[in-house]
Amino acid sequence: AQSVTQLDSQVPVFEEAPVELRCNYSSSVSVYLFWYVQYPNQGLQLLLKYLSGSTLVKGINGFEAEFNKSQTSFHLRKPSVHISDTAEYFCAVSEVGNTGKLIFGQGTTLQVKP
Amino acid sequence: SQTIHQWPATLVQPVGSPLSLECTVEGTSNPNLYWYRQAAGRGLQLLFYSVGIGQISSEVPQNLSASRPQDRQFILSSKKLLLSDSGFYLCAWSGLAKETQYFGPGTRLLVL
């Protein structure tokens, strides 16, 4: 069985500062990795995903994440955040070749301050 | 392009009343469909998934059921709502490869 841990429940940061949202996972099989963003009262929007290939993946809105297999991590980064990045961020994994069932972390609230 | 719709957007229901939430997908055929629930202050939990018409798999025992009467329609139901059924319900779809899921706008359910 897989599990996902998002190490920070809340991350406050000032506008234009860099940010890293941490995600670690546990799995005995190969996984796909995802980051989703949720704005208040909205559904989840896919930010980026790692399926295979290059371990550094780039997504929408200037975000990127790096898959580190040895550390079982998939941290999300952005070099300079905007007020509009304030949202809830979810890391998720799914087992390769299975039903596609996503296992989510508990979420990290990114609070960008002016 | 593919789009996913959910309705209603918001619903307030009394305890013991029935429930029907609908999800439809456009622009794709034979999608895999998923229902998730997001309870307040908690992460998302998969409730049901479906790989085809009439094929439903349940992930957790609960007061809810799901049906897929048409290829691109997924319905979440309950005969009698409980207070604990309150939450944000999200529908998602993926293609045949099941690699990536795309989510709908969600339905916020409040049971009083």
Side-chain angles (χ1 to χ4, degrees):
Chain A
Q2 297 87 41
S3 66
V4 178
T5 302
Q6 291 183 242
L7 298 163
D8 305 293
S9 59
Q10 293 188 2
V11 174
V13 62
F14 287 105
E15 192 174 18
E16 297 184 5
V19 70
E20 178 180 82
L21 305 184
R22 297 180 293 169
C23 173
N24 286 90
Y25 70 94
S26 173
S27 178
S28 58
V29 299
S30 296
V31 295
Y32 298 131
L33 296 150
F34 306 85
W35 275 99
Y36 287 87
V37 60
Q38 185 179 33
Y39 299 101
N41 296 311
Q42 294 186 25
L44 274 67
Q45 181 181 8
L46 180 66
L47 269 180
L48 48 77
K49 60 185 177 182
Y50 172 79
L51 303 181
S52 64
S54 173
T55 56
L56 181 64
V57 292
K58 295 187 182 297
I60 62 172
N61 302 340
F63 284 93
E64 64 180 32
E66 186 158 19
F67 169 52
N68 188 317
K69 188 173 182 178
S70 62
Q71 298 188 6
T72 60
S73 67
F74 191 53
H75 300 333
L76 182 70
R77 302 185 183 97
K78 186 169 182 178
S80 176
V81 294
H82 303 291
I83 295 289
S84 59
D85 292 323
T86 296
E88 187 86 10
Y89 291 79
F90 291 95
C91 181
V93 302
S94 67
E95 184 178 320
V96 173
N98 205 336
T99 63
K101 171 184 175 179
L102 284 171
I103 305 297
F104 284 88
Q106 290 295 99
T108 298
T109 302
L110 176 62
Q111 302 164 322
V112 182
K113 303 175 181 180
Chain B
S1 64
Q2 300 85 10
T3 55
I4 179 169
H5 304 279
Q6 288 186 243
W7 62 87
T10 305
L11 191 60
V12 181
Q13 291 286 90
V15 170
S17 64
L19 173 74
S20 181
L21 303 182
E22 189 166 343
C23 169
T24 59
V25 182
E26 296 178 355
T28 186
S29 297
N30 197 27
N32 296 299
L33 297 171
Y34 308 83
W35 277 112
Y36 290 85
R37 177 168 59 199
Q38 185 178 26
R42 301 175 66 178
L44 289 93
Q45 182 183 37
L46 178 65
L47 302 175
F48 301 95
Y49 69 91
S50 172
V51 299
I53 295 174
Q55 301 179 62
I56 308 295
S57 296
S58 175
E59 285 293 305
V60 293
Q62 60 207 318
N63 185 42
L64 302 169
S65 62
S67 62
R68 185 169 176 176
Q70 300 180 40
D71 181 45
R72 290 171 290 176
Q73 184 184 33
F74 204 22
I75 296 173
L76 185 69
S77 303
S78 174
K79 293 182 179 178
K80 288 186 177 182
L81 283 168
L82 306 172
L83 287 173
S84 57
D85 291 325
S86 293
F88 194 45
Y89 288 83
L90 290 157
C91 181
W93 74 273
S94 68
L96 288 176
K98 296 179 287 187
E99 293 172 344
T100 306
Q101 291 182 32
Y102 300 93
F103 285 79
T107 294
R108 187 161 302 281
L109 172 65
L110 180 59
V111 182
L112 301 175

